[in-house]
Structures are given as structure tokens and as C-alpha cells.
């Protein structure tokens, strides 16, 4: 600034001196025959201008003229060779060439830009691909700084935990093993059974197994492990079939006990008659009688005629009875 003011003072002095000398110095008429007489008279200047004081602007705000603030500057160099830019780059602090204000040069860069030759560049971009990354500083639309807060561990996991990404690209977090269906298929005539399972997404219902529909039962394994659902059988307890085998001298009927799931037990028997022409003498007391004639055997009475005596029917003809006194 001081040099600029000195320059202005030089210019003002140059402008005032001619007017001052033309008006201030006057010579009397010179007579060679007379003695030399010279009178110097100072007169007020009738017409003059006072140079106005002007404070030159600060650096970079004066169309570039302040770059010539030295008395030794070369004011005739108009090449602007040190101003290679036609526009100030993004983030740049620039000054213009004083002889061509459309040409610039960078002298600094705005934060956070970095100067690189005649331009301003952003610092290196940071990777924000982690799930919890939050950009804290931008350069233009480029993220140059970030923070990342790790996700908390998961708990109350039905299937336990396993290591997983903590949201900051580090495999240090305890995460629930995901809940998945325990079975994915079932046999015909059955339905799925469900149970609760908790993982990182909360508590949900998953398929835990299956059961046969009403009227069906499991066969060849369980419903959940490859078995089939077979229609229930008619339950048969074989009531009245008390024998585990048929006596050799008797004729028997057989029956196989069956449950609703079609499982069976060993056959059971009941006697229905006698073999080899034997006669049943006492349901079924099979014997070979001497005769089958009731009168000969003593069964000579008719039913209801025994009074107080015990009545015994003839095994070969129940219309004939014997009256016996067992007392």
C-alpha cells in the first residue's frame, strides 16, 4: 500500500510542476542599454487541481492490479504467461492477470481442497461400503472422512449364535443363527406342527414337525422322519376268544386282536365243537359216550318236573333232564 501511495504522489507532482512554473515565474522586459533588472514575483495559481487521495484495494480484490505494487514492476509485460487458467477451478482461490481479467492463476485452495499445480483437488475418497458407515466430511460430493459405530451383539437366540459382520466390516459381532423350518415336506393325510423360534429378526413360527390327520396313524416311522400316514383300522379286542391255542380234540374259531393303528397281536381262540365224533358233555367237555340215548343215560324227566331237586339236561337232547339230589 505504501508503494502504491508513493506512485500516486509521483504522478501528482508531475501534473502540478508545469502549471506551477508557467504561472509563478514572470520576467520584466529586458533592455540591453539599461542596467539589468530582474524581478521574481510569485503569483497565486489561478487554475489548478488537487490530486485526490485514493486507497488502493487489498490484494486479489482489485482486478489484479495490485500484483504490480512494486516500483520496480514491469508495467509493459502484457503476456499473462503466469496466468494459465481461463477460469478459477472449484475450491480455488485465484487472482486475475491485470492486463486480461479472464485469465487466472491459483494462489491457494479452500478447505478441504488441496492445491496441485494450477488446480485444487479433493483429498482421497474414503470407502463407505460398510453398513454402519456415516460420512462426516465431504469435498464436493466426495466423502473424505467417516465414522462407524459397531452394532450390538444379539442375544436370546433359540439356535445359538455365530460370528458375523458388526456393521463396520469386522467379523466380531455375535449374531443369532437364523431360524429355519426343521422340516420342509410331509406325507399325505398330515398337517404341519409349529413352534416359536427367536433370531435377529425377532420371534417367529417355524415348522417343527407334522402329525397325521384324524382317522390316520403313523406307519414305517414318524410323520416327521419319512413315515406315512395310514388310515386307521377297526379296533377288534376279540372279546370271548380266551384261548391262546385250540385244544387238539376240539374245533375252534380264531380272532386276531387289532388296534386302531392296525397293529396286531397273536391270534386267540374259542371252542365251537368237538372232533372225532366226540360229544360235548359240558360246554365243551368232549368225550366218547357209550350211548347217546338220553333215557338210557338216565335223563328221563322233562324240564320243570324236578321240584326241589337239581335239574340236569341231557347233553344230547335238552328236552330230557335228570333230577339229582346233591344234598
Amino acid at each position: 500500500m505504501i508503494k502504491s501511495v508513493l506512485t500516486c504522489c509521483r504522478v501528482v507532482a508531475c501534473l502540478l510542476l508545469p502549471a506551477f512554473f508557467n504561472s509563478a515565474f514572470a520576467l520584466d522586459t529586458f533592455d540591453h542599454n539599461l542596467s539589468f533588472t530582474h524581478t521574481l514575483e510569485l503569483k497565486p495559481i489561478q487554475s489548478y487541481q488537487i490530486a485526490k487521495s485514493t486507497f488502493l484495494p487489498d490484494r486479489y480484490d482489485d482486478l489484479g492490479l495490485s500484483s504490480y505494487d512494486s516500483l520496480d514492476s514491469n508495467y509493459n509485460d502484457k503476456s499473462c504467461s503466469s496466468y494459465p487458467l481461463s477460469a478459477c477451478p472449484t475450491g480455488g482461490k485465484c487472482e486475475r492477470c491485470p492486463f486480461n481479467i479472464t485469465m487466472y492463476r491459483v494462489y491457494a485452495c479452500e478447505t478441504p481442497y488441496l492445491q496441485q499445480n494450477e488446480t485444487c483437488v479433493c483429498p482421497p475418497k474414503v470407502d463407505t461400503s460398510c453398513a454402519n458407515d456415516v460420512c462426516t466430511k465431504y469435498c464436493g460430493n466426495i466423502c473424505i472422512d467417516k465414522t462407524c459405530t459397531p452394532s450390538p451383539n444379539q442375544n436370546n437366540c433359540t439356535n445359538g449364535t455365530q460370528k458375523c459382520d458388526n456393521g463396520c466390516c469386522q467379523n466380531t459381532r455375535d449374531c443369532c443363527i437364523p431360524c429355519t423350518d426343521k422340516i420342509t415336506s410331509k406325507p399325505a393325510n398330515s398337517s404341519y406342527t409349529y413352534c416359536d423360534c427367536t433370531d435377529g429378526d425377532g420371534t417367529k413360527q417355524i415348522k417343527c414337525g407334522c402329525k397325521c390327520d384324524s382317522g390316520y396313524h403313523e406307519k414305517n416311522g414318524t410323520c416327521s422322519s419319512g413315515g406315512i400316514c395310514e388310515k386307521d383300522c377297526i379296533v377288534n379286542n376279540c372279546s370271548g376268544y380266551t384261548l391262546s391255542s385250540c385244544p387238539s380234540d376240539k374245533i375252534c374259531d380264531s380272532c386276531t386282536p387289532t388296534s386302531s393303528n392296525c397293529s396286531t397281536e397273536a391270534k386267540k381262540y374259542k371252542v365251537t365243537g368237538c372232533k372225532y365224533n366226540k360229544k360235548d358233555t359240558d360246554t365243551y367237555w368232549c368225550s366218547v359216550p357209550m350211548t347217546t340215548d338220553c333215557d338210557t343215560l338216565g335223563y328221563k324227566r322233562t324240564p320243570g318236573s324236578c321240584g326241589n331237586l337239581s335239574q340236569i339236561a341231557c347233553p344230547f337232547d335238552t328236552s330230557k333232564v335228570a333230577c339229582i339230589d346233591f344234598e
Side-chain angles (χ1 to χ4, degrees):
M1 177 64 74
I2 295 174
K3 291 181 178 180
S4 298
V5 173
L6 291 175
T7 302
C8 288
C9 291
R10 282 186 171 184
V11 174
V12 170
C14 292
L15 292 174
L16 293 178
L17 287 176
F20 177 80
F21 283 105
N22 288 335
S23 303
F25 294 95
L27 296 176
D28 291 336
T29 302
F30 184 75
D31 188 348
H32 294 284
N33 298 319
L34 299 175
S35 63
F36 177 75
T37 302
H38 179 267
T39 302
L40 177 62
E41 181 182 5
L42 293 177
K43 297 181 180 181
I45 299 174
Q46 299 300 318
S47 177
Y48 59 90
Q49 291 182 340
I50 298 175
K52 181 174 68 174
S53 296
T54 301
F55 292 94
L56 298 180
D58 291 335
R59 178 175 173 82
Y60 316 123
D61 296 327
D62 64 340
L63 301 181
L65 291 175
S66 59
S67 62
Y68 288 81
D69 55 5
S70 171
L71 296 177
D72 298 325
S73 296
N74 182 0
Y75 291 94
N76 296 317
D77 181 10
K78 300 181 180 180
S79 66
C80 295
S81 59
S82 61
Y83 296 81
L85 304 177
S86 59
C88 189
T90 301
K93 293 182 177 180
C94 299
E95 62 181 0
R96 298 181 179 92
C97 177
F99 301 107
N100 185 349
I101 62 172
T102 64
M103 301 186 73
Y104 300 80
R105 68 180 177 189
V106 176
Y107 69 87
C109 293
E110 300 282 354
T111 302
Y113 290 90
L114 304 175
Q115 187 169 355
Q116 189 176 87
N117 298 325
E118 287 296 331
T119 188
C120 295
V121 297
C122 290
K125 179 181 179 181
V126 298
D127 180 20
T128 56
S129 61
C130 298
N132 295 350
D133 281 342
V134 176
C135 187
T136 58
K137 190 174 184 180
Y138 285 92
C139 179
N141 60 354
I142 297 175
C143 182
I144 59 173
D145 200 4
K146 70 174 184 178
T147 60
C148 189
T149 302
S151 299
N153 292 331
Q154 295 176 347
N155 48 38
N156 299 323
C157 305
T158 300
N159 296 331
T161 61
Q162 61 186 358
K163 291 300 181 182
C164 66
D165 181 17
N166 65 355
C168 296
C169 298
Q170 297 172 331
N171 200 46
T172 58
R173 186 187 185 200
D174 289 335
C175 289
C176 294
I177 296 174
C179 293
T180 57
D181 291 328
K182 294 183 178 180
I183 65 170
T184 56
S185 63
K186 62 180 182 63
N189 305 309
S190 69
S191 58
Y192 287 113
T193 57
Y194 294 85
C195 59
D196 289 340
C197 184
T198 301
D199 61 12
D201 296 325
T203 300
K204 63 191 73 175
Q205 292 267 299
I206 62 172
K207 297 172 184 175
C208 291
C210 66
K211 63 180 181 179
C212 293
D213 296 338
S214 178
Y216 292 84
H217 60 273
E218 294 177 335
K219 183 179 180 181
N220 299 331
T222 64
C223 175
S224 304
S225 62
I228 64 174
C229 290
E230 182 181 63
K231 189 171 180 60
D232 289 345
C233 292
I234 297 173
V235 176
N236 186 358
N237 294 324
C238 294
S239 177
Y241 292 79
T242 59
L243 302 176
S244 60
S245 63
C246 184
S248 61
D249 62 340
K250 293 179 174 63
I251 298 172
C252 300
D253 280 343
S254 65
C255 179
T256 301
T258 304
S259 64
S260 63
N261 66 0
C262 297
S263 63
T264 60
E265 299 176 11
K267 287 184 179 182
K268 293 184 177 183
Y269 300 88
K270 70 178 179 178
V271 176
T272 58
C274 297
K275 291 182 179 180
Y276 315 121
N277 295 319
K278 292 184 177 183
K279 298 297 181 178
D280 178 19
T281 59
D282 192 10
T283 314
Y284 284 92
W285 188 326
C286 295
S287 64
V288 180
M290 297 297 293
T291 179
T292 60
D293 181 68
C294 289
D295 286 338
T296 301
L297 294 172
Y299 295 93
K300 298 179 179 182
R301 304 285 292 270
T302 58
S305 64
C306 291
N308 293 329
L309 300 177
S310 297
Q311 177 178 290
I312 303 298
C314 177
F316 308 112
D317 184 357
T318 57
S319 66
K320 300 292 185 178
V321 301
C323 297
I324 301 175
D325 184 3
F326 288 102
E327 298 181 359

